Each structure stands twice: as C-alpha cells, then as structure tokens.
Amino acid sequence: MNPKASVEQEAMAMYGELVGEDLVFDPNPVNLEPEKGQVWARGLSLIAPNTVAYAYQDASKMELKLAVLDIDPQTHKMKVVEDPSTFQKGFSPYVSMLSLPYSASDPYTLTYYQGEKSAIASICAWNSDRQQLQNCEDFPWLSHKASSVSGVALGEGRVLMTFVASDIPYYTVFGLSKK
C-alpha cells in the first residue's frame, strides 16, 4: 500500500437493506469519482427495478453530473452502467432526485436543481435494453430562485415540491405525463 496515494470518497454509493430488524450494508461501495474531491450536493433515485441514478455537483469544475448504477439482485453488488456525464454547468445550492417519478414500467430520471434564473426539473428516459439515458429535457417548475428544495413522488406522475424562496416556505404540486 502506498501511503502517499489517496482515494477520494465523496461520490460513493453503498447498498444497504433492512433484514429483519437489522440495517445491513454491503462492504463494497461504488466510487464514481475516486480521483476527485469537492463533490457537493447529491441525490440518488430508483429509476427502474435494480437500477439507480446518482446526481451530484462537481464543485471543482462547477458542473452537475448524472450516473446510472445497476444492482445485481442476487449479490447486491453495484456496477456503473452509465458513467458520470455533465448535464448542466454552473453552481446550484441543491441537486437531488425523485425515485420513480412516472412509473416503474416506464423508467425516467427526475433531477431537480437551481438553474440560472429558475428552478429546473431535468427528466431523462432510461432505455433498459441499451442501458443508457436518452431524450433528456429540462423544464422550469418555478419561475424564480429557491434556496432549498425537497420533493417526493406521489405516484401516477404527481410530484410534491416544498421549497424556500426569500426565506419564506412554499409548496407546489405538479404532474408529469408523456408527450
């Protein structure tokens, strides 16, 4: 072992599950950026059975990135099936995701972040056969900046977002549908 070599651990994902009354973690995490530090806001979401997406802010380059991981249903070992790719440049005070924003049979990612002038929901279709994201589109869901945001999928394409703008808390509900 080289004591001068270091591995950054800021963009990692670790599998965990509740077994009976015990919370059990797999000791083999996936490290998306082992050479980089300065990984800030991040979010993780289930986009299809045994498939999760991981969005985060690479603060060293001021880029928002998205990767997709596959989880083996037998061993629970995770592997990267789509390497991290930049989907937005700039700083956002928050970056997060919603699990299954549309339906399990029609997998999509939903990443939300602060754009230059408005809050943005970025939606990408997940092609399970090709194991790649496609048809990504950004939609403003709030016409001004928010300092803090949290969301939850309510099912059937409905999303509840809570947020703070100018130190005042708000909430909104919006719907997602196919074109």
Side-chain angles (χ1 to χ4, degrees), residues 70-88:
D70 184 64
I71 303 168
D72 183 289
Q74 305 302 333
T75 66
H76 302 133
K77 183 166 176 55
M78 293 187 296
K79 69 176 180 180
V80 177
V81 292
E82 182 151 328
D83 288 326
S85 60
T86 301
F87 67 91
Q88 181 67 34

Side-chain angles (χ1 to χ4, degrees), residues 47 57 64 70 168 178:
I47 58 173
Q57 171 127 26
L64 305 182
D70 184 64
I168 301 171
K178 291 193 81 135

Side-chain angles (χ1 to χ4, degrees), residues 99-122:
S99 291
L100 300 173
Y102 191 65
S103 72
S105 63
D106 195 10
Y108 281 80
T109 64
L110 189 152
T111 308
Y112 56 94
Y113 63 94
Q114 180 61 56
E116 191 174 316
K117 296 179 182 175
S118 59
I120 304 293
S122 179

Side-chain angles (χ1 to χ4, degrees), residues 39-59:
V39 174
W40 292 353
R42 66 204 74 195
L44 189 71
S45 73
L46 180 67
I47 58 173
N50 303 308
T51 307
V52 295
Y54 190 117
Y56 59 96
Q57 171 127 26
D58 177 348

Side-chain angles (χ1 to χ4, degrees), residues 11-171:
M12 292 179 69
M14 180 179 283
Y15 180 84
E17 71 176 314
L18 189 61
V19 178
E21 294 182 11
D22 297 322
L23 187 56
V24 179
F25 292 95
D26 185 298
N28 303 302
V30 169
N31 194 341
L32 297 170
E33 301 264 10
E35 294 86 33
K36 287 189 178 177
Q38 298 295 310
V39 174
W40 292 353
R42 66 204 74 195
L44 189 71
S45 73
L46 180 67
I47 58 173
N50 303 308
T51 307
V52 295
Y54 190 117
Y56 59 96
Q57 171 127 26
D58 177 348
S60 65
K61 292 185 175 180
M62 285 298 160
E63 296 176 338
L64 305 182
K65 294 184 176 181
L66 181 62
V68 180
L69 311 173
D70 184 64
I71 303 168
D72 183 289
Q74 305 302 333
T75 66
H76 302 133
K77 183 166 176 55
M78 293 187 296
K79 69 176 180 180
V80 177
V81 292
E82 182 151 328
D83 288 326
S85 60
T86 301
F87 67 91
Q88 181 67 34
K89 293 192 181 283
F91 169 76
S92 176
Y94 55 88
V95 177
S96 198
M97 302 189 78
L98 294 181
S99 291
L100 300 173
Y102 191 65
S103 72
S105 63
D106 195 10
Y108 281 80
T109 64
L110 189 152
T111 308
Y112 56 94
Y113 63 94
Q114 180 61 56
E116 191 174 316
K117 296 179 182 175
S118 59
I120 304 293
S122 179
I123 299 172
C124 297
W126 173 247
N127 184 321
S128 298
D129 295 333
R130 291 184 174 170
Q131 297 223 320
Q132 69 182 34
L133 293 169
Q134 58 190 30
N135 304 325
C136 297
E137 293 185 66
D138 291 348
F139 301 95
W141 63 270
L142 184 63
S143 62
H144 52 275
K145 291 187 174 188
S147 58
S148 178
V149 178
S150 186
V152 62
L154 300 174
E156 299 178 357
R158 295 171 297 154
V159 174
L160 170 69
M161 302 297 282
T162 59
F163 57 96
V164 175
S166 302
D167 295 327
I168 301 171
Y170 297 94
Y171 70 93

